[in-house]
Amino acid sequence: MRNSLKKTLRPAVLYIEARIPAAYRVRLAINRLISGHGNPLPYNANLLLTRQDDASFNFETIEGRYGHICKELTVALTKTEPQFPSALAAHTPPHFSLLMPVYKTPIALLEAAIHSVQSQTFLHWELCIVDDGSMSEALDAALDRYRQQDSRIKYRKLDTNAGIAHATNCALKMATAPFIGLIDHDDVLMPECLATINDAISSEASVDVVYSDEFKISESGKVVELFPKPDFSPTLMINCMYTGHFSVYRKELVERVGAFRSKYDFSQDYDLALRVFEHTTSVRHVARYLYGWRAIAGSAAADGKPYARSSNIAALQDALRRRNIPGQAAPLPAANRIEIRDADRASLPLVSIIIPSDNYTNIKHSIDSIRDKTQYKNYEIVIVTNSKLISRLREEPHGNIIFVPFDEKFSFSRKCNVGALASNGTYLCFYNDDVRTIRSDWLDELVDIFVHKDVGIVSPKLIYENGKIQYAGMVTGVRRLVGTAFHMFPPDTSAHFNFAQSVREVSIACGACMVVRSSLYAEIGGFDEQRFPIAHSDIDISFKVRQAGKSCIYTPYSVLRHIGHLSIGASKKEAKEKVIEKHDLELLKVWPLETARDPYFPEAMRSILFVDSQEEFTIHPPQKRAYKADGKSAVIFSHDLTSSGAPRVVLEIARLLTRQNWFVVVTTPSDGPLRQELTELGVTVITDALVMRRHDTIKDLYQQFDIAIGNTILSAPPLAQLAGLIPTMLYSHESELILDLAASKSQLITDAKSLPFVVTGSVRGSNALKALSIPSRILEYGVERSQPTSLREQTRPASKNLRLSLFGSFEPRKGQDLAIFGMSYLPAAAAASCHLSVVGRVLDPEYARIVKSSAPDTVSFIGEVPFREYAALLADSDAVIVPSRDDTLPYVSLDALASGKILIVSATTGTSAYLEHGVSGFVLSHNSPEEIALVIQRVHNMSPSQRRDMSKAAIAVFEKFFTMTAFEERVERHVEEAVQSFLAGRNPRA
C-alpha cells in the first residue's frame, strides 16, 4: 500500500512545489513519511497483532504494571499545590472533618501531611489536629502557624500524653462535618482523595463507611508498595484491619458505637471498625490509590509497632464476645485467627461427605483418606456411582457409607443432586474423588466457619502434589472467565499482605471440596443440571449462594491435596469427544455481572496479582438483557471500538442481532467510545489483548457460539482458529490494503484464504479479494436517513458561505493532504467564501503534523468527536469531500448521501461506483489537489436549484442501495447462508 500511496501522492507534491512556498520541504517530508513505513498495515494496526511494550514498563506483565503504577503515584505526589476556597466558598460548611492526632512528629513529615490535605481538589474540609503532649515548642509553633494561615485547620494541644485514642476523641469533639476521615500525622492524601470519596457518598446517600486503596511510601518519598483491596469483606476483617487507610465514617455512627477506646490504643482504629461493622453493612470501597502510608523506622507501615499486636488481639476477642462467637482470638505471624476448641462447640452436626465418581480405585482411596485423617466424629460418606461399582464396593465392609446408584448419562451436577437427596447431614460436603486429606482437622476447620453470620458455603486451601497452591479463592473477570487466586504460589506464601493465609470472602467456592448447609442447598435448588451439567457447576452454585445473600468463604486452615481432575471419569471424556460444552457461554448469559467483576479480587488486585494470564482482559457486561436464555449466540471480532466507520458496522450488526434476541458478544483488543453504545444495546463487550494473536483461549471460548463474525481483515486470525468448528463470516472493509498485505506475505491473507465465507462492502473490495482468489459476496452498508440538529449558528465562520467537511481518521490513506492542498489552489474570490473543516482522530501523528503545517487559513482542524457532534457537523455542511486513496465504502459518504449533501469522492473510494458524476455527486478521477480545487469551484458556482437537484439525486442513490432496511436484510441473508453452508458441510466458495 505504501508504494501505491507514493504514486498517488506524487501529483500532489508536484502541485505543492509549483504553487506553495516551501513546498519542497513538504514534499520531502511526506515522501520520507510514506517510504519510512515498511509495513503495509494501517498506522498502529500492528499493536493488535504483536506485543508492543513501553520503553520502561511492559504493561502486559505484572511487574511492568506494578512499576508503572508506583512511578505514576510518586510523580503525582511531587506535583501537589495547596488549594484555597474563594471568599464565598469559605463559608460553606465542611463535608469532611479529618482527624489527625500528633505526637513528636518530625516537622518535615507533618508539614508534608498537612500540605497533602491543603492540596485537595475538594475544598470543603476541616483538619482537626490534636498534639498528644509532644512538649515540643517547634512542633507547637508550626501547627499554630498553619492554624492562623488556613481557617479550615483547627489545633489543640494536650498537656500530657494521654494516648492516641484519647487524642483522636479530642479531635472528634472538634469536628463539625457529617463525615470524619482518619489520617496519620506522617502520611499523605492524593489530591483527588476527598473529591473521590465525596463522589462515592453522593452516588449512594445511605453509605456509612468509605475506604480506598492505599500505598506505602519510603523515607525518600518513593511509592514502594501497593495495597489494592477487595470490596467490603467482613470476614477478612477478622484477620486484619484491611480497610485501613483511607477510611471515612459517618460521624453520628462513630459516636453511637462509643468512638475510640483507650484500652485498645495502637489498634483503636481496628476496634472502631469491628464495632461499626456490627451496626452497618452500608460500606463502599473506592478502588483508587488515595492514601500514602509512610514506611519509616518505628512506624506500623515498616512493622515497627509489635506492641500493637496485643491490643489488636484484645479488640478481636472483645468482638467475639459481642457477637456470641465461641473461640479464642489468636495471633499468627501476619494475621489474626479464631481458634475454636472442642469445649467451645455446643454440638457436632452431621456432615454428609458426597463423592460422585465412577472410578473404583479413586473411591477406595478417597474413603481410606477420609477415615485415616478425619478427627471430626459425626459424618457419613455418600458414594454416587454406577450400579456395577456399587455391587463391587459392597463386598467390602464400609460402616457409615451410603451407596447411591447412578446409571444415567454422565452429569456431575446431577450426580451431586442425587447424592444430596440421599444425605442426612445438616451440612453437605461435596468431595471430589481426587482429593486427599493431609491434616485430620480439615473438616473441623470447614464446619467451624459457620459460626460467622451469613456464611453460605466454605472451601479449603487445596494444594497440588508438588505442594503449590491450586485453590486459595477463585477470580472472575479473567481470561477463561474464571481463574485461581495465588495459583502455583507456595502454600505458605505471604503475598499481598498474607491473603492466601487469611479467612476471607471469595467470589467462588471450589467444587473439588465445598461445604454448604443442606437447608440453603435446597433453598437455591442445588446444582444446575441443565446449564452447567459438568464444568462451572461450582461457579453457578456459588453465585446462587451470593444471590441468596450469603457468602462464599475460603479458609487456609483446612488444607487438602487435589491430585487432578479424575472424578469426571471416562464418561466425561467420551462426552467431550461428541459435543462441545457451552459452559463459558452459559456463564456469560446467566451471570454477566458476577462473571465480569469479582468484588473480592477486583481489577486493581487482579492487575498485579493474577499470574496465569497477565495480558489485558476485561469483561464489560450488558446494561440490559436483550436475549433469550435458549436463543442463538454470536461473537463479533472488531479491531477497535472507535467511532470510525468499520466499528459502526459492528454496532449495526449487533443492533440487528440483539433486536432478534440473539446473545451477542463483541470482542476487541482495544476499548473505545462505541463500547458504551454496545452495552446499552444489551451486548457483552470483551477487551482481550490476545484476540488477534491466535491464542488458544480464543478458540476454547468462542467455539461455544453459534457463529463468529470478523469485522475487517484484521479479524481473520480468530476466525481462522474457529473455521471448521462453527460457522464464520469475515466482513472485509479493505481493498488495496489487501493487495499490499498479500505482497508482503502477511499471515492475515493466509488466514483470510482459509475462511469459507467472506463478504465485503463494495465492488471495489470484491475486486481486490478476487485478485487473490478469495471469492466474496457484496454486503453494502446501510445508514438511517435523519435530519440531525445543526450546531449553533455562531459556530459557523461568519464570512464563509460554502461549508466543506472532510471526516475520517488522520492518515495518508484518507487523503487529507490532497483536499487541504486543493484549498490552496482556489482563486482568491472562491477561497474567501469557502471553508474546509477536517474532522477525525489522528492515527499518524507525523503525517498530521506535516499536513497541518502547510494548511491555509481556510482550513480548520477538529479532532475526534462523538457521533452526535459528527452528525451535527455533517448537518452544517454544504458538501462533503472524501479524497481517500483507498476506501471500500466509507460511512461518511453514505451519511452524506442520506442527508442530501453534495458528495465529492475519489475514484479510489468504493462509493464512486454508485454515483453519476455531475448528477448525484462528483467523482475525482485523478484525485489531485488541482482537480479537487476545480470541483470545489464548480460547487461554489452552482445555483440553488442545481444544488437541490443534486441533493435529490444523492438521496435517490441512498434509497436504492444504502438504507438500513436493505442492509439488515442483507446481513440476515448472509448470516443464514454462512450457518447453513457450515451445517451442510460444504464450502460456499464452490
Side-chain angles (χ1 to χ4, degrees), residues 159-431:
D159 295 332
T160 59
N161 178 229
I164 189 171
H166 177 77
T168 308
N169 280 333
C170 290
L172 178 63
K173 290 178 181 178
M174 299 159 63
T176 62
F179 288 91
I180 64 163
L182 308 179
I183 176 172
D184 285 354
H185 56 177
D186 53 3
D187 295 342
V188 294
L189 303 181
M190 294 298 289
E192 69 275 14
C193 177
L194 293 182
T196 306
I197 298 294
N198 186 65
D199 288 344
I201 294 172
S202 299
S203 66
E204 191 175 340
S206 62
V207 69
D208 290 319
V209 183
V210 183
Y211 66 95
S212 74
D213 296 344
E214 62 187 86
F215 52 89
K216 288 183 182 179
I217 314 171
S218 69
E219 292 193 46
S220 64
K222 290 185 177 180
V223 174
V224 294
E225 190 171 20
L226 304 175
F227 185 16
K229 304 170 186 178
D231 288 356
F232 185 46
S233 180
T235 304
L236 180 60
M237 283 293 294
I238 291 169
N239 304 267
C240 62
M241 172 61 174
Y242 88 91
T243 52
H245 304 300
F246 178 59
S247 292
V248 169
Y249 298 87
R250 191 178 293 275
K251 182 189 174 191
E252 177 275 329
L253 179 57
V254 171
E255 293 172 333
R256 177 155 40 100
V257 302
F260 300 90
R261 302 195 292 182
S262 293
K263 65 188 295 186
Y264 302 108
D265 262 351
F266 307 111
S267 297
Q268 76 289 336
D269 53 351
Y270 182 47
D271 170 59
L272 173 68
L274 289 171
R275 284 179 287 126
V276 164
F277 295 150
E278 292 165 7
H279 289 76
T280 185
T281 57
S282 185
V283 181
R284 179 80 178 271
H285 166 223
V286 174
R288 291 183 62 179
Y289 297 103
L290 300 179
Y291 189 99
W293 198 16
R294 202 174 294 277
I296 61 175
S299 72
D303 298 321
K305 294 183 178 179
Y307 44 81
R309 293 294 287 130
S310 59
S311 60
N312 203 267
I313 293 300
L316 178 57
Q317 188 65 50
D318 194 48
L320 299 183
R321 177 191 59 79
R322 291 191 305 271
R323 301 173 189 183
N324 295 314
I325 295 176
Q328 187 68 35
L332 296 180
N336 306 330
R337 72 162 296 187
I338 300 172
E339 294 179 343
I340 299 179
R341 298 157 297 194
D342 290 341
D344 298 321
R345 299 185 180 94
S347 63
L348 293 178
L350 177 65
V351 179
S352 299
I353 303 174
I354 301 169
I355 306 176
S357 177
D358 287 319
N359 187 300
Y360 174 81
T361 301
N362 289 338
I363 293 172
K364 284 284 293 174
H365 287 168
S366 296
I367 292 172
D368 292 343
S369 178
I370 291 169
R371 285 182 163 173
D372 289 345
K373 289 185 178 179
T374 304
Q375 69 181 26
Y376 193 93
K377 302 301 182 185
N378 195 17
Y379 70 87
E380 64 181 12
I381 299 176
V382 180
I383 305 294
V384 186
T385 189
N386 61 74
S387 300
K388 184 178 179 181
L389 273 186
I390 289 176
S391 299
R392 184 177 176 187
L393 289 164
R394 277 180 173 161
E395 294 174 357
E396 306 169 21
H398 288 298
N400 60 338
I401 296 182
I402 300 172
F403 293 103
V404 182
F406 187 90
D407 297 313
E408 305 173 24
K409 178 183 177 182
F410 179 80
S411 167
F412 183 80
S413 292
R414 174 91 175 126
K415 274 191 168 184
C416 289
N417 288 339
V418 168
L421 288 172
S423 300
N424 304 297
T426 302
Y427 296 100
L428 306 177
C429 175
F430 295 96
Y431 188 99

Side-chain angles (χ1 to χ4, degrees), residues 1-6 32-52 713-714 736-749 811-813 844:
M1 182 178 181
R2 295 295 172 178
N3 290 333
S4 61
L5 288 178
K6 287 165 65 177
R32 282 197 300 270
L33 178 68
I34 300 301
S35 61
H37 289 281
N39 193 305
L41 288 175
Y43 187 83
N44 87 351
N46 272 334
L47 294 174
L48 311 179
L49 305 172
T50 59
R51 300 186 180 198
Q52 297 289 327
I713 194 71
L714 294 172
E736 193 162 335
L737 169 63
I738 293 174
L739 302 177
D740 290 326
L741 287 169
S744 68
K745 296 181 168 44
S746 169
Q747 179 64 36
L748 288 171
I749 299 301
E811 55 180 319
R813 182 174 65 90
D844 194 325

Side-chain angles (χ1 to χ4, degrees), residues 13-23 821 824-826 929-930 933:
V13 294
L14 289 175
Y15 282 117
I16 298 165
E17 184 177 2
R19 302 192 179 198
I20 305 175
F821 298 152
S824 301
Y825 298 158
L826 291 175
E930 184 173 67

Side-chain angles (χ1 to χ4, degrees), residues 466-760:
N466 65 4
K468 299 296 180 66
I469 290 176
Q470 189 251 329
Y471 173 86
M474 294 187 78
V475 184
T476 67
V478 296
R479 191 165 283 105
R480 297 190 186 278
L481 306 188
V482 292
T484 306
F486 307 104
H487 188 227
M488 294 299 291
F489 280 55
D492 58 351
T493 177
S494 60
H496 202 64
F497 306 90
N498 226 46
F499 267 41
Q501 316 309 327
S502 299
V503 180
R504 67 186 199 280
E505 278 83 1
V506 292
S507 59
I508 301 168
C510 182
C513 183
M514 59 168 63
V515 177
V516 60
R517 287 185 189 273
S518 56
S519 57
L520 177 62
Y521 184 84
E523 178 187 330
I524 63 176
F527 287 97
D528 189 330
E529 302 172 11
Q530 303 303 315
R531 293 189 178 93
F532 304 100
I534 304 175
H536 295 345
S537 54
D538 52 353
I539 299 170
D540 175 70
I541 198 170
S542 295
F543 289 165
K544 288 195 290 187
V545 164
R546 288 168 50 195
Q547 189 179 61
K550 305 299 181 181
S551 57
C552 301
I553 302 294
Y554 157 78
T555 175
Y557 305 122
S558 176
V559 185
L560 297 166
R561 180 168 288 108
H562 192 192
I563 298 172
H565 301 283
L566 306 177
S567 39
I568 25 188
S571 299
K572 181 182 177 184
K573 293 177 183 177
E574 182 179 335
K576 270 194 158 184
E577 291 170 3
K578 291 182 178 179
V579 64
I580 295 173
E581 292 181 50
K582 296 198 172 186
H583 49 280
D584 292 325
L585 175 61
E586 290 296 330
L587 203 60
L588 289 170
K589 291 169 69 174
V590 178
W591 301 105
L593 298 177
E594 292 80 2
T595 303
R597 184 182 184 276
D598 192 327
Y600 307 112
F601 215 94
E603 169 62 26
M605 286 179 61
R606 199 175 79 207
S607 68
I608 63 171
L609 286 172
F610 187 71
V611 299
D612 285 349
S613 188
Q614 300 176 27
E615 296 86 354
E616 181 188 358
F617 183 93
T618 305
I619 302 172
H620 306 279
Q623 298 183 37
K624 65 178 181 180
R625 180 164 292 192
Y627 50 89
K628 292 182 178 178
D630 57 350
K632 296 178 181 179
S633 58
V635 57
I636 306 174
F637 299 110
S638 180
H639 68 291
D640 67 29
L641 293 181
T642 61
S643 299
S644 57
R648 279 185 63 187
V649 177
V650 172
L651 178 65
E652 297 307 334
I653 294 177
R655 193 191 309 277
L656 168 65
L657 296 179
T658 54
R659 197 162 60 239
Q660 296 177 346
N661 298 314
W662 283 61
F663 175 72
V664 180
V665 171
V666 171
T667 301
T668 175
S670 180
D671 196 7
L674 211 63
R675 187 243 298 171
Q676 179 71 19
E677 292 186 63
L678 288 165
T679 56
E680 287 174 356
L681 286 176
V683 173
T684 297
V685 175
I686 297 178
T687 305
D688 185 351
L690 301 182
V691 66
M692 305 301 183
R693 301 183 191 171
R694 304 169 183 83
H695 198 267
D696 288 344
T697 55
I698 305 304
K699 181 182 72 174
D700 294 344
L701 172 58
Y702 298 112
Q703 66 179 333
Q704 302 174 37
F705 285 68
D706 292 313
I707 189 170
I709 300 171
N711 192 54
T712 79
I713 194 71
L714 294 172
S715 298
L719 292 187
Q721 289 182 278
L722 297 168
L725 298 172
I726 61 171
T728 61
M729 184 175 85
L730 174 64
Y731 199 166
S732 172
H733 308 298
E734 297 81 14
S735 48
E736 193 162 335
L737 169 63
I738 293 174
L739 302 177
D740 290 326
L741 287 169
S744 68
K745 296 181 168 44
S746 169
Q747 179 64 36
L748 288 171
I749 299 301
T750 304
D751 288 338
K753 286 185 174 182
S754 72
L755 300 175
F757 201 92
V758 179
V759 298
T760 186

